[in-house]
Amino acid sequence: STLFPYTTLFRSIILGSILGEQCSGPASDWFLARYSARAGVRVASQRLWLAYPGFATVVAGLVVWGVQLQNAEDGVWNVTPMVGAAIASFGNQIITTTLITYAVDCCPLRSSEVGLFVNLLRQIWGFIGPFYIPLMFETLNFAATAGVFCAIIAVAGWMPVAVLHWLNRTRKVAREANIRV
């Protein structure tokens, strides 16, 4: 059927997202329970450690997607870009689940607002993407566009999480030394 390649595009992203959700939820809870048992205290920021493999997975998936799409021949079906998309969506779901759970753990009384805010941001980026992404594909190539996406993820995703982690560590050290931060 002529629709087969197009439905496969969605299947790879759906599959990656489902697998990422199934892995990240239990892994996050297990990791926090293990840390809490060892440290004797439950610290929500320990969940953030699981976001880092998610960022690495998204970057790896985007690189595979961009490079394989750039190297694909016209008129020849090639599934390897979709493997990259599945890997990237797997990592994306790990990051999303981990960060939403962290935000809910930090402020459980506002858990519904956390979900609404995250979904609002996702909808905004999903809406404006079609206005600039095709221009990037035309101006750059697929591999360079994937590189731009990786840079955006590093600046707008990984760095804020790393700073948040660092600030939490600084506050913890200050609390242990009885210094007000």
Side-chain angles (χ1 to χ4, degrees):
S1 160
T2 58
L3 290 177
F4 174 72
Y6 302 112
T7 58
T8 304
L9 301 176
F10 298 119
R11 287 180 192 159
S12 63
I13 294 171
I14 292 169
L15 178 65
S17 296
I18 289 171
L19 291 175
E21 181 65 31
Q22 296 304 313
C23 291
S24 64
S28 177
D29 294 339
W30 174 81
F31 187 78
L32 188 61
R34 188 165 179 217
Y35 174 81
S36 299
R38 191 178 77 232
V41 64
R42 183 181 167 106
V43 180
S45 66
Q46 291 304 314
R47 285 189 193 274
L48 295 177
W49 285 110
L50 293 176
Y52 299 122
F55 284 118
T57 307
V58 168
V59 168
L62 281 174
V63 168
V64 168
W65 172 81
V67 170
Q68 292 299 340
L69 198 56
Q70 185 66 35
N71 294 334
E73 297 177 27
D74 288 338
V76 177
W77 175 244
N78 184 357
V79 75
T80 55
M82 295 304 94
V83 172
I87 293 168
S89 63
F90 175 83
N92 185 40
Q93 197 61 43
I94 289 174
I95 295 167
T96 303
T97 301
T98 302
L99 295 182
I100 288 175
T101 308
Y102 164 75
V104 168
D105 281 352
C106 287
C107 194
L109 296 176
R110 296 191 177 248
S111 61
S112 61
E113 286 103 352
V114 167
L116 286 172
F117 181 70
V118 169
N119 283 322
L120 174 72
L121 291 178
R122 287 175 124 180
Q123 294 296 322
I124 289 171
W125 282 106
F127 175 76
I128 65 172
F131 293 109
Y132 70 90
I133 292 174
L135 296 173
M136 283 178 40
F137 289 152
E138 290 175 11
T139 306
L140 305 172
N141 55 37
F142 290 112
T145 300
V148 169
F149 289 157
C150 291
I152 291 170
I153 288 168
V155 172
W158 175 79
M159 288 176 71
V161 170
V163 167
L164 187 63
H165 231 155
W166 178 78
L167 286 174
N168 187 19
R169 175 71 180 146
T170 304
R171 289 181 187 138
K172 181 181 173 192
V173 170
R175 278 192 303 264
E176 290 172 357
N178 293 324
I179 299 170
R180 185 179 169 111
V181 176

